[in-house]
Amino acid sequence: MSDHHHCQLSKKSNLSVYEDQPHFCCSKFLNFCQKWKTISSSHPKCREYLISVAVTNKEKKRHSTHKHWWIIHPFSKIRLYWEIVMTMVFFVAFITIPFMMCFVVLDYHGKNFDDIDTVIYIFCWIDIFTNLITGYYDEIRSEFILDQGKILQKYIESYFLIDVLSSLPWDRMTSTWRGPPDEDSVFIAEAVNLLPLLKLFRYFTFTSYIRQTQSYIRGEELPCQLTLTLLLYTYVVHWFTCFCSVAPLMLMHLEHEPVTKQLPAYMKKRLLAYYHHRFRNSYFREKKILSNLSDTLRQEVILHSCRRLVENVEIFQDLPKNILALIVSNLKAELYLAKDMIIKAGTQGECMFFLSSGTVAILTPTGKEVCYLEDGAHFGEVALLVQDQRRVASVVAVEVCEVYRLDRKDFRKCIAVHSDLFAKIERLATARMQRTVMIEEQHKRFTMHSRASSVSARKSRSKSTIG
């Protein structure tokens, strides 16, 4: 004998409130709308919580005669289809909102706006309105709540504040106080633009909608669970990536706000630019991570990370791997912004530099351009060979440059047993120094000749005028 109850009542039983005559003397259209907003036996939760057709019909009658006639039943067709629509909206919003907030709205380079999520915000405001007039099922009392006051109280105590704060166009509302670093932008105005990320708290609502849709189409449980697991992993990776892009600058703002407040605008801009390029949209403690590795593994990681640099530098070619690893392990990373003076002519040299990325200009002491160096180049090697040697040229960053510095004392330790490397660097350094000196002498002679010519020309014009 079966344990399940098979209801014999017709769905058109006398308990049904819907007949062909108009309801409340309204048109058929209003009657049609009433059918869509009342309880539906096809709703998956209706099959779960209501035991028979008779109970469903009774709930229909109660809903139709309720004093708050505008309330949408939580198990109605219109609510079911709207939740399917919001499932797709949440699916897109969980990707676009974090991306637009972290990579576009809070972009370092200027004042940008989120034009993509505007449509999502419109759907979210419609959802807020429908939530305000949709009843709910009280599982403790096993009854449907259709009273407007209780519905408002329930929604306000749950997701109302989150839904409102995460659905406002904060990027446009704060545009007056927002701006690039060279302007007087307000940090609070920048931080407020992260409020749309509160939408992520709706992830559990999103998963419940997916399960409800799966139950509605009578799909299998296992594929649904696998889909939810895959979505969770994908979203977590995406959210963490977006967080890492904005966290360094936010932390820098908080830690250095008292200091930067006293600085002029141009210096604030350079400070923020340095942090922006220094972190490169990442936030981790590289030195601490490397310190936990074994010596062999640490050298392999460092060598691999500097492989492109090492392969492009002429003096590193054909070196034994152990010497190469020893030199690379002693390199110190530095970052220079555009127009920064890396080396100044006439100062005492204590190190050489390897250009990992960017472009630098080599200048004579008088400011004459000698050449440009790009990725993989090196300069300042004379300081490694001759102690107390003055720099014969200046080096200025043309753009943001990542360089590695090698100090003389570390260099001496690395090549103490490798005389070939020392001789190679010495030859290159001598050639560069001679070239720089020669260009400087030519520039001086050209300058003196130009001055002499101009003086002679003025004297000639003066004599002709007197004559």
Side-chain angles (χ1 to χ4, degrees):
M1 189 173 179
S2 176
D3 295 333
H4 298 284
H5 168 70
H6 298 282
C7 185
Q8 301 299 321
L9 289 176
S10 171
K11 293 184 180 181
K12 290 287 187 179
S13 66
N14 57 2
L15 291 176
S16 177
V17 296
Y18 298 113
E19 305 296 340
D20 292 333
Q21 72 270 17
H23 186 58
F24 291 138
C25 300
C26 295
S27 65
K28 291 183 178 181
F29 174 75
L30 293 179
N31 194 35
F32 173 78
C33 293
Q34 178 67 13
K35 290 182 180 181
W36 270 75
K37 75 183 184 69
T38 194
I39 187 170
S40 171
S41 58
S42 62
H43 196 288
K45 289 185 177 180
C46 188
R47 300 192 297 265
E48 179 182 353
Y49 290 101
L50 301 182
I51 61 176
S52 67
V53 173
V55 177
T56 303
N57 290 334
K58 186 178 179 180
E59 180 61 27
K60 283 182 181 180
K61 186 173 183 179
R62 188 179 79 91
H63 181 219
S64 65
T65 58
H66 199 276
K67 62 179 181 179
H68 298 153
W69 54 268
W70 60 87
I71 299 297
I72 299 174
H73 200 282
F75 292 176
S76 61
K77 284 184 180 180
I78 190 171
R79 185 65 195 180
L80 173 63
Y81 294 146
W82 176 251
E83 289 175 354
I84 293 176
V85 171
M86 287 306 300
T87 302
M88 295 183 286
V89 171
F90 284 141
F91 174 80
V92 176
F94 292 157
I95 297 175
T96 59
I97 289 180
F99 178 84
M100 296 301 293
M101 291 304 103
C102 298
F103 290 99
V104 177
V105 176
L106 295 180
D107 181 50
Y108 160 78
H109 296 287
K111 185 188 297 185
N112 301 316
F113 297 99
D114 180 5
D115 297 323
I116 294 178
D117 291 320
T118 304
V119 177
I120 291 178
Y121 293 152
I122 293 174
F123 276 97
C124 289
W125 278 104
I126 297 174
D127 185 56
I128 291 173
F129 175 74
T130 56
N131 289 336
L132 291 172
I133 59 172
T134 301
Y136 65 94
Y137 183 73
D138 190 342
E139 296 187 5
I140 298 177
R141 301 170 59 183
S142 298
E143 67 173 341
F144 293 98
I145 305 300
L146 303 176
D147 183 76
Q148 182 67 82
K150 293 181 179 179
I151 293 172
L152 291 176
Q153 182 180 356
K154 176 74 173 179
Y155 187 32
I156 292 173
E157 291 176 354
S158 55
Y159 286 106
F160 176 75
L161 189 60
I162 290 177
D163 288 347
V164 171
L165 292 178
S166 63
S167 302
L168 291 171
W170 293 106
D171 55 326
R172 286 176 168 78
M173 293 170 62
T174 61
S175 61
T176 304
W177 303 279
R178 255 187 337 115
D182 56 328
E183 299 177 1
D184 295 329
S185 58
V186 181
F187 171 68
I188 296 179
E190 302 285 347
V192 162
N193 284 275
L194 294 175
L195 286 177
L197 297 179
L198 293 173
K199 189 69 68 182
L200 303 184
F201 283 100
R202 276 293 197 172
Y203 178 79
F204 299 103
T205 305
F206 169 66
T207 58
S208 68
Y209 287 172
I210 291 181
R211 293 184 184 276
Q212 178 177 279
T213 305
Q214 173 261 333
S215 178
Y216 175 66
I217 63 177
R218 300 183 186 275
E220 297 292 334
E221 176 68 22
L222 181 59
C224 179
Q225 186 60 43
L226 290 176
T227 302
L228 289 176
T229 304
L230 181 61
L231 279 175
L232 178 60
Y233 287 151
T234 304
Y235 281 142
V236 168
V237 172
H238 176 66
W239 297 340
F240 186 75
T241 303
C242 295
F243 169 77
C244 289
S245 71
V246 74
L249 286 179
M250 286 296 176
L251 291 176
M252 189 278 297
H253 266 295
L254 292 174
E255 293 176 0
H256 298 275
E257 183 70 19
V259 178
T260 57
K261 191 177 293 186
Q262 309 297 329
L263 300 177
Y266 80 93
M267 196 171 295
K268 288 182 182 179
K269 179 180 179 180
R270 291 181 60 80
L271 182 62
L272 291 174
Y274 175 85
Y275 274 90
H276 175 77
H277 293 285
R278 169 65 181 84
F279 286 106
R280 281 296 181 96
N281 298 329
S282 62
Y283 184 57
F284 55 88
R285 298 179 179 179
E286 182 179 359
K287 293 182 178 179
K288 187 174 182 179
I289 294 174
L290 291 176
S291 65
N292 294 328
L293 303 178
S294 62
D295 294 339
T296 304
L297 184 57
R298 187 186 308 113
Q299 287 186 357
E300 290 180 0
V301 170
I302 296 175
L303 184 60
H304 177 76
S305 62
C306 299
R307 178 177 296 176
R308 181 176 58 84
L309 171 66
V310 172
E311 289 175 350
N312 291 336
V313 177
E314 182 181 355
I315 63 174
F316 280 171
Q317 295 175 358
D318 302 325
L319 284 179
K321 186 177 179 180
N322 60 332
I323 299 294
L324 195 61
L326 188 60
I327 292 176
V328 170
S329 63
N330 282 281
L331 296 178
K332 299 177 179 63
E334 292 184 352
L335 181 71
Y336 291 92
L337 303 179
K339 299 182 181 180
D340 277 355
M341 182 75 70
I342 303 176
I343 292 177
K344 185 176 182 180
T347 59
Q348 186 172 327
E350 297 290 341
C351 59
M352 72 173 295
F353 295 90
F354 301 92
L355 184 59
S356 176
S357 65
T359 304
V360 298
I362 309 299
L363 308 176
T364 63
T366 56
K368 174 69 175 178
E369 288 187 359
V370 177
C371 63
Y372 288 93
L373 300 179
E374 296 180 345
D375 300 7
H378 57 279
F379 50 88
E381 60 273 15
V382 177
L384 301 184
L385 305 172
V386 183
Q387 192 171 2
D388 298 329
Q389 175 67 34
R390 298 286 177 176
R391 302 286 192 184
V392 296
S394 298
V395 181
V396 179
V398 178
E399 56 185 347
V400 176
C401 296
E402 292 183 1
V403 302
Y404 287 92
R405 189 184 82 245
L406 178 61
D407 295 328
R408 182 195 296 118
K409 59 179 182 179
D410 297 326
F411 172 73
R412 295 286 183 176
K413 294 178 183 178
C414 294
I415 64 167
V417 295
H418 207 284
S419 57
D420 293 341
L421 175 61
F422 188 89
K424 183 186 293 186
I425 295 179
E426 189 175 25
R427 288 195 300 271
L428 291 172
T430 302
R432 285 195 179 188
M433 187 167 57
Q434 290 175 351
R435 181 186 175 191
T436 303
V437 172
M438 182 180 64
I439 293 176
E440 176 67 13
E441 290 178 353
Q442 291 177 352
H443 180 64
K444 286 182 179 179
R445 287 197 297 268
F446 176 78
T447 303
M448 292 176 63
H449 178 73
S450 299
R451 289 178 179 175
S453 299
S454 61
V455 170
S456 299
R458 284 198 299 270
K459 289 182 177 180
S460 299
R461 288 194 299 269
S462 177
K463 289 180 180 180
S464 61
T465 302
I466 295 173

